[in-house]
Amino acid sequence: MKADLSAAEARRIALAAQGFAAGRREGAVTDARMHREIGRLGLLQIDSVNVLVRAHYLPLFSRLGAYARDRLDAMAAARPMRFFEYWGHEASLLPIDHHPLLRWRMARARDGRDVWRRLEPFAGERRNEAEAVLARIAADGPLAASDLAETRAGSGMWAWSAGKHALEWLFWAGLVAATHRRGSFERVYDLPERVLPRAVLARPTPTGADARRDLISHAARALGVATAQDLRDYYRLSPADADRPIAELVEDGTLVPAEVRGWRRQAYLHRDARPGRRLDGAALLSPFDPLVWHRPRTERLFGFRYRLEIYTPAHKREHGYYVLPFLMDGALVARVDLKADRKRGRLVVQRVHLEPEAPPATLERLLVELRLMASWLDLPRLAAAPAAAGTGLPVADAVEADPPAAEPVG
């Protein structure tokens, strides 16, 4: 059988699968609700940019409304661990049950495969340097790259020291695990047996094929309806790693082949996917939100071309530095460039762009969401930069320039 879906039906299914069903912000935001939402998504992407708020905090706000960010911090730091940091969709906070499903990725890294090119030597000719760092952690306890007595190799944001590269390879290879991040957002590493629950470490390691099939299944459930490319992108799998699992999931009925009118590629519907009852409500979305992080899917679902411009020189940016799409009643109707001015206690709206078919009430409802966000971020005031003066907000003075580029996650 093959499902036949309109573009509107596919969008409703995708929104419901991602937690944007009607009434989602009703009731108290408890730890249990937060845990369920992370489980639904399968991961929270981590990014170091802090011009507004760290990226992993935003998806829960978008879906559940204002919540205590320190509760997410406490959940991430709780022992025994319920979440761990590793490479999921880029650097990610993942449910601890995913650890066995990613050991194949760790094993490849130990062989110098599927890692950044600069890390490959630490699996081979520079292995002794990595082992020396590992021995120091074993003897002295947790450490971060800044604890190593080295200077950076040169200038530029990717000019990491040899010790930092060694740590990153050890982390990718699963030979160390992240214990936490310091206030500077620097990752701290320790031996896995001193970080991860014994029960998790003792679980059998599935074959790579079985693990990747489970990851594709998680992705399919989180997306609702998706192309093969969408499914692969969720946990950053290659076609060679994903094609067979997708075929097996079709064979066992987990995935149902689907034709989505207007989509050029074959789609797959998760067998449990259901459309939301209503497409109502509003939400500001992080650039790293699972609903929009795969830009071709965002354009296919919403007709919304979206690019992150933090690495683009300021004079070439079309929409701004840290631009959040605005979701309203099931459509992406605007984008807003935001900055948290913590010194002055204000959320600054740098620029606002409405989409051509944005409804008349878009700006009014965007302001409601911006006020909610400002309150959630403990910023008493909402202000507009001169370029956003048309919003009706008081114009902010002395808005600092955006940084030239973002530091990489590390």
Side-chain angles (χ1 to χ4, degrees), residues 32-197:
R33 284 188 69 192
M34 292 164 61
H35 192 276
R36 283 196 302 272
E37 204 62 37
I38 299 171
R40 176 207 299 273
L41 298 176
L43 72 170
L44 297 177
Q45 185 176 344
I46 296 170
D47 191 82
S48 57
V49 178
N50 197 28
V51 68
L52 177 64
V53 65
R54 301 288 186 199
H56 62 287
Y57 292 112
L58 276 164
L60 294 182
F61 170 76
S62 301
R63 290 156 178 79
L64 303 178
Y67 70 95
R69 282 171 288 146
D70 60 357
R71 292 308 309 151
L72 180 57
D73 296 337
M75 288 170 60
R79 296 295 186 270
M81 294 182 80
R82 302 171 73 183
F83 302 96
F84 74 109
E85 185 177 337
Y86 188 61
W87 294 103
H89 182 94
E90 304 298 336
S92 303
L93 190 66
L94 300 124
I96 195 65
D97 288 345
H98 279 42
H99 187 273
L101 303 182
L102 292 162
R103 290 177 190 164
W104 62 273
R105 183 167 282 169
M106 299 172 190
R108 286 187 181 177
R110 288 195 288 275
D111 292 335
R113 294 187 292 151
D114 297 348
V115 298
W116 295 331
R117 186 174 303 171
R118 300 176 193 187
L119 304 186
E120 291 174 1
F122 294 93
E125 64 267 26
R126 300 183 68 178
R127 183 75 172 248
N128 62 321
E129 296 176 50
E131 289 178 347
V133 174
L134 184 61
R136 177 173 168 182
I137 293 173
D140 299 340
L143 62 77
S146 63
D147 297 326
L148 299 172
E150 297 177 300
T151 57
R152 296 179 85 167
S155 61
M157 65 181 180
W158 290 103
W160 288 348
S161 68
K164 171 64 174 173
H165 281 101
L167 277 170
E168 285 300 312
W169 176 76
L170 290 168
F171 175 67
W172 212 316
L175 298 174
V176 297
T179 69
H180 64 286
R181 285 180 179 262
R182 292 175 176 169
S184 61
F185 210 58
E186 184 180 30
R187 192 189 285 135
V188 180
Y189 309 85
D190 200 356
L191 301 180
E193 57 266 31
R194 298 200 294 233
V195 177
L196 303 171

Side-chain angles (χ1 to χ4, degrees), residues 279-302:
L279 293 180
D280 61 4
L284 287 161
L285 304 174
S286 161
F288 307 100
D289 192 290
L291 184 65
V292 296
W293 66 23
H294 188 44
R295 310 309 189 208
R297 176 177 171 83
T298 304
E299 195 160 350
R300 199 183 322 119
L301 277 173
F302 299 101

Side-chain angles (χ1 to χ4, degrees), residues 18 26 165 240 252 275 353:
Q18 278 284 302
E26 297 172 0
H165 281 101
D252 73 15
H353 293 85

Side-chain angles (χ1 to χ4, degrees), residues 318-320 323-324 326 333-338 348-355 362-363 366-367 370 383-385 387-391 393:
E318 182 179 2
H319 297 110
V323 176
L324 281 68
F326 181 52
V333 297
R335 53 191 94 203
V336 55
D337 184 17
L338 297 178
V348 180
V349 180
Q350 305 267 62
R351 284 193 272 179
V352 175
H353 293 85
L354 302 183
E355 292 300 290
T362 297
L363 188 57
L366 174 60
L367 290 176
L370 288 168
T391 60
L393 294 170

